[in-house]
Amino acid sequence: MKVLIADAIDTAAIERIKQAGLEVTVATGLSPEALLETIPNFEVLVVRSNPKVTKKVIDAAERLKLIVRAGVGLDNIDVDAAYARNIVVSNTPGATAISVAEHVMGLMLALLRHIPAAHAKTDQGVWDKKSFMGGELFEKTLGVVGLGKIGREVAKRAKAFGMKIMGSDPIVDPETAAELHIRLVPFEEILAKSDVMTLHVPFLPETKNMLHQGNIGLMKKGAYLIFCARGGIADETAVANAVKSGHLAGAAFDVFETEPLPEASPLRNVPGIILTPHLGASTHEGQRRAGLELADIVLRFSNQK
Ligand code: MLT
């Protein structure tokens, strides 16, 4: 079986697939045209957030039987087109949950302690001890929207900081939430009462633009927003305006409607907004776990054939 690895995947995973006797080609950064030319030779395609596996790619992939995404969700894969061709589509949903949760905690601390702005000034040789008075996480209320694997890992860590945790999720019952030490409340209550709100829902028609101009005003004045889910769930212009007006004290974004972030993004150059380039899952440990999980998926599949 020929395997095309089309994005950066942990080397241990690549070795494991090779050792099982599969023929592996690593070709990252392929243009859409180059992918269309390359894909007809392969039975297995491995991706991360890139490349986009469109219907056109799937139509060109005459021999393709399996697509695996090293990551949460299947956002860059046209799953319907794949299923229509009986191509199996798989992912590694839990492998990077801890990495994302730790990134969320990092952003939370960075926001409340002004770490990026303080670094920039100190780095320029300015010793400004007065401008960066911060706030503690201790006894602040954290609202976690979406209590899947990542939301739960965030809640656990926030609890260790002494935060009070509220959560909303349409499929989690109050008993399960209580076991996780999370008070289950409606989304509106999260908006109104959170000192820090973090979103961990998948991108679906129901979650598209879930945080918008109309309900950002319902957020507690002076609250912080952390956004490490998927671009398109929070209206970027509305959040930028809420930070500029002072309604929100700050916001941190790791994911964006358009990635890489366009020059004209409303989120750029706004004091109080911290931006990272979709790094939530980018840790050695998380990628090792995701890589080994995906290698197992590929090997199980090849053994069945
Ligand atoms: C994920 O879905 O886990 C990440 O978005 C994958 C990535 O960082 O490429």
Side-chain angles (χ1 to χ4, degrees):
M1 244 183 198
K2 288 188 173 178
V3 181
L4 175 63
I5 300 202
D7 204 350
I9 300 298
D10 189 81
T11 47
I14 299 175
E15 279 317 302
R16 189 183 275 191
I17 299 172
K18 279 186 184 164
Q19 274 164 16
L22 277 73
E23 200 181 317
V24 176
T25 302
V26 180
T28 59
L30 289 175
S31 66
E33 297 72 32
L35 180 62
L36 283 176
E37 266 176 38
T38 313
I39 197 67
N41 300 320
F42 293 89
E43 278 92 20
V44 178
L45 171 63
V46 174
V47 301
R48 235 177 104 179
S49 288
N50 285 300
K52 300 261 171 286
V53 188
T54 57
K55 180 169 185 315
K56 211 166 161 191
V57 171
I58 287 165
D59 287 344
E62 292 153 23
R63 299 166 64 177
L64 197 64
K65 295 186 173 66
L66 171 69
I67 305 171
V68 193
R69 179 172 188 273
V72 184
L74 299 166
D75 305 71
N76 50 321
I77 301 167
D78 187 332
V79 177
D80 291 337
Y83 288 166
R85 285 265 325 279
N86 286 326
I87 295 169
V88 176
V89 183
S90 193
N91 63 344
T92 61
T96 52
I98 291 172
S99 301
V100 180
E102 290 188 2
H103 196 63
V104 169
M105 296 312 296
L107 291 173
M108 221 182 285
L109 291 166
L111 276 173
L112 271 84
R113 303 304 296 268
H114 315 293
I115 292 171
H119 164 78
K121 265 208 171 166
T122 313
D123 201 43
Q124 287 156 15
V126 183
W127 190 258
D128 181 358
K129 209 166 147 54
K130 293 208 179 93
S131 305
F132 300 115
M133 185 62 81
E136 292 180 342
L137 296 181
F138 182 63
E139 293 195 332
K140 295 279 185 323
T141 298
L142 174 68
V144 184
V145 182
L147 295 171
K149 291 190 172 67
I150 297 172
R152 291 178 193 203
E153 293 297 341
V154 170
K156 263 193 234 166
R157 283 153 183 78
K159 191 90 198 149
F161 275 89
M163 298 186 86
K164 298 175 225 162
I165 323 285
M166 297 188 304
S168 76
D169 191 305
I171 56 172
V172 170
D173 56 67
E175 291 74 32
T176 307
E179 279 164 24
L180 300 163
H181 307 284
I182 297 170
R183 194 162 65 83
L184 203 59
V185 298
F187 178 51
E188 291 66 31
E189 194 170 335
I190 300 239
L191 289 171
K193 295 192 179 156
S194 299
D195 297 305
V196 183
M197 179 167 98
T198 183
L199 298 173
H200 297 290
V201 294
F203 182 77
L204 300 168
E206 309 85 72
T207 58
K208 187 172 177 203
N209 222 18
M210 177 178 189
L211 189 64
H212 51 76
Q213 182 77 42
N215 61 13
I216 286 178
L218 303 178
M219 284 180 74
K220 186 171 172 177
K221 186 163 167 33
Y224 293 88
L225 170 71
I226 316 262
F227 189 54
C228 292
R230 282 286 179 260
I233 294 169
D235 179 331
E236 296 176 353
T237 304
V239 174
N241 288 340
V243 175
K244 282 185 201 160
S245 74
H247 184 73
L248 293 185
F253 276 69
D254 185 51
V255 292
F256 305 91
E257 252 166 65
T258 306
E259 296 181 8
L261 190 63
E263 210 173 319
S265 165
L267 297 168
R268 296 186 64 196
N269 300 310
V270 180
I273 294 190
I274 298 175
L275 308 174
T276 54
H278 201 140
L279 292 181
S282 291
T283 64
H284 298 295
E285 297 82 357
Q287 287 309 313
R288 173 68 46 105
R289 254 181 253 122
L292 296 179
E293 214 175 287
L294 91 79
D296 283 345
I297 294 169
V298 172
L299 299 190
R300 262 202 313 275
F301 186 83
S302 77
N303 287 336
Q304 285 162 10
K305 297 283 138 188

